[in-house]
Amino acid sequence: MEVLHFLFGVFGNVTALFLFLSPTITFKRIIKSKSTEQFSGVPYVMTLLNCLLSAWYGLPFVSKNNILVSTINGTGAAIESIYVLIYIIYAPKKEKAKILGLYTFVLTVFSAVALISLFVLHGNGRKLFCGLAATIFSIIMYASPLSIMRLVIKTKSVEFMPFFLSLFVFLCGTSWFIYGLLGRDAFVAIPNGFGCGLGVMQLILYFIYRNNEGLSSPEMKKSNGNGSIEINGAEKPHQDKQANGRAPQDDQV
């Protein structure tokens, strides 16, 4: 059982690393276009908080036999910090202020949890407190793409919900869910079971709408008469499918 527990922890590390790296395609697009377009920055900030709290929870003086949780989440925290920084650089002023405020909230919450657990709590009380904090914000992290799922349903397009991100949400959630069950750790199993279910929902949406052209909803797309389309007030060059041989969503994985 311990060997199986370890193997699922290793597999969880691998799938989580791919999950953390999967948005690199999105951020290459953001850097190239110098715009965050309709991509949301909330999932990356919430993932950063989840990584920080989970890495803290996995440390030996908080919970035993969870060092694999700390290693991958420490790595994830560094990667997500880079994403948040890039997003802030290219986001519109209003969105920039929103993400900066959320980023400040993330650092405040993590600092509070770390300080309280270090100087106020001990033993099982420390594990319970840190575990609850990690569980709550893990569920929030997994739930943060719900706004993008709503956009997918509204526009009937997966242009702004990358396939690999959805795939690795499912794989990562599943592997850590099993890891938590094998280790009898509810603080690992519960949030990742939720993530597994949400990953399934995202994949279902992807396969339903994967062949649709982007921005098909009248609310999201309107012509301004000069060969471009307007997305929530921001212009985006119109791509002629027949002219370049591919639809706009072909740029998205």
Side-chain angles (χ1 to χ4, degrees):
M1 186 67 71
E2 290 184 4
V3 173
L4 198 59
H5 180 249
F6 175 78
L7 289 177
F8 270 100
V10 172
F11 183 67
N13 270 250
V14 173
T15 56
L17 183 60
F18 277 106
L19 174 62
F20 295 141
L21 293 176
S22 60
T24 54
I25 298 174
T26 296
F27 280 90
K28 285 175 65 177
R29 172 172 170 169
I30 288 174
I31 293 171
K32 184 177 180 180
S33 65
K34 300 185 186 306
S35 169
T36 56
E37 303 180 38
Q38 289 294 308
F39 294 110
S40 173
V42 174
Y44 305 105
V45 184
M46 298 313 300
T47 301
L48 173 60
L49 178 56
N50 171 67
C51 287
L52 290 171
L53 291 174
S54 296
W56 186 261
Y57 173 74
L59 293 174
F61 62 85
V62 177
S63 65
K64 296 179 180 179
N65 302 319
N66 276 327
I67 193 63
L68 288 174
V69 174
S70 288
T71 54
I72 189 57
N73 281 287
T75 302
I79 295 172
E80 296 300 326
S81 296
I82 295 172
Y83 293 154
V84 172
L85 177 61
I86 294 173
Y87 191 92
I88 290 172
I89 290 173
Y90 292 106
K93 185 178 294 185
K94 185 177 179 180
E95 186 70 10
K96 192 190 302 284
K98 173 184 173 182
I99 298 302
L100 278 172
L102 194 56
Y103 180 66
T104 302
F105 169 76
V106 162
L107 294 182
T108 301
V109 169
F110 173 67
S111 297
V113 170
L115 291 173
I116 291 173
S117 64
L118 273 178
F119 300 109
V120 178
L121 301 171
H122 305 279
N124 288 333
R126 175 183 290 167
K127 179 180 179 180
L128 179 63
F129 176 71
C130 294
L132 284 173
T135 297
I136 290 170
F137 287 102
S138 289
I139 291 175
I140 292 174
M141 177 203 73
Y142 279 124
S144 60
L146 287 174
S147 60
I148 296 299
M149 293 171 66
R150 178 176 177 272
L151 181 66
V152 169
I153 295 171
K154 183 178 180 180
T155 63
K156 302 187 188 317
S157 166
V158 295
E159 183 178 8
F160 297 104
M161 189 180 74
F163 170 72
F164 282 115
L165 188 59
S166 301
L167 175 63
F168 285 109
V169 164
F170 167 70
L171 292 177
C172 182
T174 301
S175 56
W176 285 113
F177 172 63
I178 297 174
Y179 176 88
L181 289 179
L182 292 173
R184 298 181 180 179
D185 192 329
F187 296 128
V188 175
I190 292 175
N192 286 290
F194 180 81
C196 173
L198 192 64
V200 170
M201 292 172 60
Q202 290 183 42
L203 289 173
I204 290 173
L205 282 178
Y206 188 89
F207 284 105
I208 290 174
Y209 297 117
R210 70 186 186 281
N211 292 323
N212 290 0
E213 290 193 18
L215 308 169
S216 58
S217 171
E219 292 84 357
M220 297 297 296
K221 173 181 178 180
K222 61 180 180 179
S223 173
N224 63 11
N226 63 1
S228 64
I229 56 177
E230 192 172 299
I231 311 171
N232 290 347
E235 288 187 3
K236 181 179 179 181
H238 177 67
Q239 292 180 321
D240 186 351
K241 183 178 179 180
Q242 292 182 343
N244 60 20
R246 56 191 173 91
Q249 72 269 23
D250 291 336
D251 291 328
Q252 189 68 52
V253 174

